Amino acid sequence: EAQVTQNPRYLITVTGKKLTVTCSQNMNHEYMSWYRQDPGLGLRQIYYSMNVEVTDKGDVPEGYKVSRKEKRNFPLILESPSPNQTSLYFCASSSLQGQGRWDTQYFGPGTRLTVL
Amino acid sequence: DAKTTQPTSMDCAEGRAANLPCNHSTISGNEYVYWYRQIHSQGPQYIIHGLKNNETNEMASLIITEDRKSSTLILPHATLRDTAVYYCIVRGHNNAGNMLTFGGGTRLMVKP
């Protein structure tokens, strides 16, 4: 089954304790992205990657890191989490069609992170 | 990418058609209309997209006006499981970062 998976689904942590949220897709998609969703603010893009070893900042990258060493995986790293990073996080992927056109995005189930 | 305007909420009776409107008066010629939905904090789910012609798939139909300034998503026979927030998004296929800009969406409540 084609899917985007995220782990963990729920995480409660404390300020300053480094954490990683994993994202994996089995559709051989070139593009992967991370969004966060907060009440009243909708989904906002954190980072994205157009292919292996190619990453770039989205709208709200501060406090986050990503890496893309393999095509299927795109982990989100919070080196020193703070309470304002408490949010619902979604990973997404899509394929790159010809002539630089993006296909539809498929989203993971979400990771609910609470930073105390 | 163009901005969209949707009603905040709508109700629909189970088994009836749900018609969700979206205004996108500033849409440009190369921008597509996308619809996603989000069921209670789950990951957004792609529904359908179109450029200028009406589109239909197994989930829904998309009707785009001739001037492309508005569109309507139609769920032909709404079920309780269609209760969700529906997002209308306008974007070009070549936009930098492939970012989807989710607005407030329409909260559809399907009632028995």
Side-chain angles (χ1 to χ4, degrees):
Chain A
E1 180 190 353
Q3 59 182 351
V4 179
T5 57
Q6 295 179 225
N7 281 292
R9 296 289 313 280
Y10 302 90
L11 179 60
I12 300 174
T13 189
V14 295
T15 299
K17 185 176 181 182
K18 180 180 179 180
L19 66 92
T20 299
V21 184
T22 65
C23 173
S24 183
Q25 50 93 5
N26 63 0
M27 296 169 279
N28 201 37
H29 284 168
E30 293 84 3
Y31 176 93
M32 297 185 75
S33 176
W34 277 102
Y35 292 83
R36 61 178 287 175
Q37 186 173 29
D38 303 289
L41 296 176
L43 276 85
R44 295 178 291 168
Q45 191 181 54
I46 304 170
Y47 267 96
Y48 63 94
S49 168
M50 295 196 193
N51 216 321
V52 176
E53 303 292 359
V54 180
T55 63
D56 211 340
K57 297 177 180 178
D59 273 356
V60 288
E62 293 77 22
Y64 304 94
K65 286 176 57 177
V66 293
S67 69
R68 187 89 183 275
K69 293 184 171 59
E70 305 166 286
K71 198 171 187 179
R72 63 182 294 126
N73 296 323
F74 189 45
L76 179 70
I77 303 156
L78 285 71
E79 295 267 2
S80 183
S82 62
N84 65 12
Q85 292 178 298
T86 292
S87 187
L88 181 57
Y89 291 87
F90 292 103
C91 180
S93 74
S94 72
S95 62
L96 181 60
Q97 306 297 305
Q99 299 177 325
R101 293 161 56 89
W102 298 110
D103 200 357
T104 58
Q105 289 191 37
Y106 296 88
F107 284 79
T111 295
R112 188 170 291 280
L113 172 65
T114 301
V115 183
L116 303 174
Chain B
D1 293 334
K3 183 178 176 180
T4 62
T5 304
Q6 300 176 250
T8 304
S9 63
M10 292 181 63
D11 289 345
C12 177
E14 187 178 19
R16 305 296 293 269
N19 297 286
L20 291 88
C22 179
N23 286 323
H24 31 79
S25 58
T26 59
I27 193 170
S28 62
N30 65 347
E31 289 182 317
Y32 287 71
V33 180
Y34 277 77
W35 283 84
Y36 280 76
R37 72 180 182 183
Q38 188 174 24
I39 299 173
H40 189 53
S41 296
Q42 296 179 20
Q45 177 188 24
Y46 166 78
I47 301 173
I48 199 167
H49 76 281
L51 183 62
K52 57 179 75 172
N53 298 321
N54 298 338
E55 301 287 345
T56 295
N57 63 20
E58 65 278 2
M59 288 183 70
S61 294
L62 174 60
I63 309 297
I64 302 174
T65 57
E66 194 168 339
D67 64 6
R68 302 208 324 121
K69 293 184 185 299
S70 66
S71 60
T72 300
L73 177 75
I74 300 172
L75 307 178
H77 305 286
T79 70
L80 299 179
R81 285 178 292 184
D82 291 321
T83 293
V85 178
Y86 288 77
Y87 296 98
C88 170
I89 300 166
V90 173
R91 74 172 184 105
H93 266 194
N94 299 322
N95 78 339
N98 192 19
M99 183 171 61
L100 293 173
T101 301
F102 288 78
T106 296
R107 186 172 297 275
L108 175 69
M109 179 74 70
V110 180
K111 298 184 175 181

